[in-house]
Amino acid sequence: MTEGGRRNAPGNAQAMRLFLVGALLLVVSNAGCRKEAAPPSAGALRVLIAYATFQPRCLTLTVVDQEDPARTDSVEVRVEPGVRSDTRTVAVLGREGWSRNLKLTAAAFERSCSGARVAEQSLEVQVPTEGVSEARMSLRAEDLDNDMYVAATGPLPGTDCDDANEAVHPNAAEPCDGLDNNCVAGESDAAGTRDWYEDRDGDGYGNASAPPIPYCVPPSNFAARAGDCNDGEATIRPDQAESRCDGVDEDCDGTADDDDFAVGATCATPLGCPGVKTCQGVSSAVCSSPQQPEPAWYVDEDGDLQAGTDVGPGCTAPVPGATTVRTDCDESSRFAAGDAPEVCDRLDNDCDGQTDELLVTCGLTPWRTDPGVGAADATWNAVAPYPGNRGWLAGTEGRVVHVDGTDFAPVTDCPGTWEAAWATASGRVFLGSSAGVFATVAPGALATCEQVNGPGSSSLNGLVGFERGTSVALFAVDSQGRVIRWDYVEGAPTQAAPRLVTQVAANLRAIHGVGPEVLLAVGAETVDGVARPVAWGTPGSGSTWLKEDLGLAEATGFLRGVQVLTPRLAYVAGDDGLLLERAGGSWSAKPRLTLPGGTPDVRALLAFGRTALYALSSDVSDIHFFDGTAWRSVTAPPRTLEALGGTGPGDVWGAGAGGTLVRWRH
């Protein structure tokens, strides 16, 4: 029977009896406060179990019969709480059925009998036939910090991972303090940890496929951010743009070569062909398309509803209205197209390469000269024809005359020196004076000359207008570089005042355009005291005026005439016989107007296409014609002319000194 009152099953009645002392197996202290009685028929063992430098919470003695190991018994030996070094005594008596040859094993456990076995010793002993013999056993383990946990060292380690610190043991709280206080997985179970991710390539992002490990402080080669899809290459990580077009997902977003490369995205090539983005080397991606573009697209620029300007190849129309069929041979003139009839106007109207062919009387058509219109001493500075062989003459001393065929009717009262004129299709004329005053007169109201002051007092040298319904947007330029707009509404009880659009550093002499958004103004700017030709334009905006690069670094003098035929084509002319063409965005020089005496100044310009330009010069009274290659005189009026105008190539007017009016009509 053990010390706790446990009974052992009886053995063979004739065999020797062995007893582990309980009531019969006695455990006594070193003080020997209890005496043991000698067994009546056998000797006994006194087992002394000593331990030091630790306090076992459980101490056991196990006895095994060496002749029959199935015969075994054990007892828990009581220890004194709080005692680190002690010797406990256990009396072992003979037991019936057992041999005298025994194996004794003493074991010490940390914290409880189910805790870690931290010390153990075994002895082979023989129970004497009579009397008492001693067996001494010694158990050794270390608990240097006396925290009741044995050092985790030696052949039978305890669970204390730091036996020099009583605050470190398995049952300790685990704060984030740099210590493994509870001896479990470092500080991974501490309160206040955060997840860290293995970062083998040191790019600041942890392996996306590895689980996080909680740490209080960042360990070496770990990162606080996950998501690295290739932890063996530092150039591959999240939160960066794809830098190479190479099929590698450098930013770990699941898509290779996206961002600026956008590989695989639908796109359109520069020629409008549908395709997808593909790598072009490692530095760029391009839009690739299996579709072949049309070789050329054509647009109508001159307003004759026929397309003749090549705007390049493409899979889709590069601009609205473009067509793949060219139907216009001359996009500089609305009076020439593939289906136009040939008429007498010095143009190849039907695009057959010939001018005025089969029109036998065309060369005999005379210029009509009307001298002294308005007065024999009248000087006409401006002429403004409108359809029906009708128009206006305006000049000095307040003279304004309406022309209707061969009838000439003066405006009753319109004081001023008129320098410029422009007429609507219905016949209303707008005038600009040398003092910056605007005026307007209707054909059926010659006694009414509406006048309004402009924003300046300088000479208004050029006018051009654009009709929309009953409204007119009139533009003017003056000698102080002003561009002025007057919005006039027919029949309105009151009219808005002319307003300044812009002012440039130039003396502007003429303005023309194909709409309020496409205008060109010309004149001269002063550079180091020298007048140099200059042009200012509105490239499609109407509000932003830009100085044109004419390519005339050494030229001097004024530009005095301008004609804008299409948004891409314009002509300007001026002093020293100068003629320039703007095609697209580039200026080029055309043959100068040359006379036997030299190169005169061009004072007025009228154009109906690349092969039909008219000009007036300063040296002779002739009206000059440019056919795209060379200049020639088409008539020689009796007096010097100052102004040109026309509603088309078959209706050309010139006016000037002595009240002279010349007209060529067919």
Side-chain angles (χ1 to χ4, degrees), residues 242-269:
E242 297 274 346
S243 63
R244 293 170 61 85
C245 202
D246 55 5
V248 176
D249 181 14
E250 293 176 89
D251 58 6
C252 296
D253 65 354
T255 303
D257 302 329
D258 52 353
D259 297 331
D260 291 342
F261 299 118
V263 168
T266 58
C267 58
T269 69

Side-chain angles (χ1 to χ4, degrees), residues 109-122:
F109 297 86
E110 184 186 78
R111 303 294 292 176
S112 70
C113 291
S114 60
R117 182 187 296 257
V118 296
E120 182 180 276
Q121 185 183 11
S122 296

Side-chain angles (χ1 to χ4, degrees), residues 530-545:
V530 177
R532 297 189 181 278
V534 68
W536 290 79
T538 59
S541 69
S543 59
T544 301
W545 287 75

Side-chain angles (χ1 to χ4, degrees), residues 392 400 411 413-414 418 422-424 427-432 437-443 445-452 472 474 486 488 490 495:
W392 297 86
V400 178
V411 174
D413 184 16
C414 202
W418 304 109
W422 177 85
T424 68
R428 175 174 286 278
V429 70
F430 292 87
L431 307 171
V437 176
F438 289 86
T440 182
V441 183
L446 300 185
T448 303
C449 177
E450 300 178 52
Q451 294 198 10
V452 60
V472 173
L474 185 76
W486 186 19
Y488 188 91
E490 189 71 39
Q495 301 290 344

Side-chain angles (χ1 to χ4, degrees), residues 549-552 555 559 570-573 576-583 586-593 613 626 628-629 631:
D549 181 6
L550 301 176
L552 301 174
L559 293 177
Y571 289 90
V572 298
D576 199 25
L578 186 66
L579 178 65
L580 302 177
E581 178 188 78
R582 183 181 70 180
S586 301
W587 288 92
S588 61
K590 308 303 286 185
R592 291 177 181 259
L593 173 59
L613 284 78
F626 182 70
T629 302
W631 289 94

Side-chain angles (χ1 to χ4, degrees), residues 133-223:
S133 63
E134 264 187 3
R136 292 183 176 272
M137 306 184 79
S138 179
L139 301 178
R140 290 289 183 266
E142 288 187 348
D143 177 16
L144 300 180
D145 56 12
N146 197 27
D147 60 2
M148 305 300 292
Y149 292 88
V150 172
T153 58
L156 293 174
T159 60
D160 195 340
C161 57
D162 185 355
D163 200 37
N165 189 340
E166 64 178 344
V168 177
H169 55 76
N171 201 37
E174 187 67 69
C176 272
D177 59 359
L179 298 175
D180 181 10
N181 292 273
N182 65 2
C183 299
V184 177
E187 287 191 298
S188 63
D189 57 343
T193 60
R194 65 174 297 181
D195 288 342
W196 295 87
Y197 304 85
E198 183 183 23
D199 180 17
R200 291 183 292 110
D201 57 14
D203 60 6
Y205 289 84
N207 190 337
S209 61
I213 300 177
Y215 286 104
C216 290
V217 294
S220 178
N221 298 323
F222 276 73

Side-chain angles (χ1 to χ4, degrees), residues 271 291-300 306-328:
L271 295 180
Q291 184 175 341
Q292 294 300 312
E294 294 287 342
W297 289 83
Y298 301 94
V299 296
D300 172 28
Q306 302 294 319
T309 297
D310 185 345
V311 291
C315 287
T316 58
V319 294
T323 175
T324 57
V325 178
R326 184 179 184 183
T327 58
D328 194 343

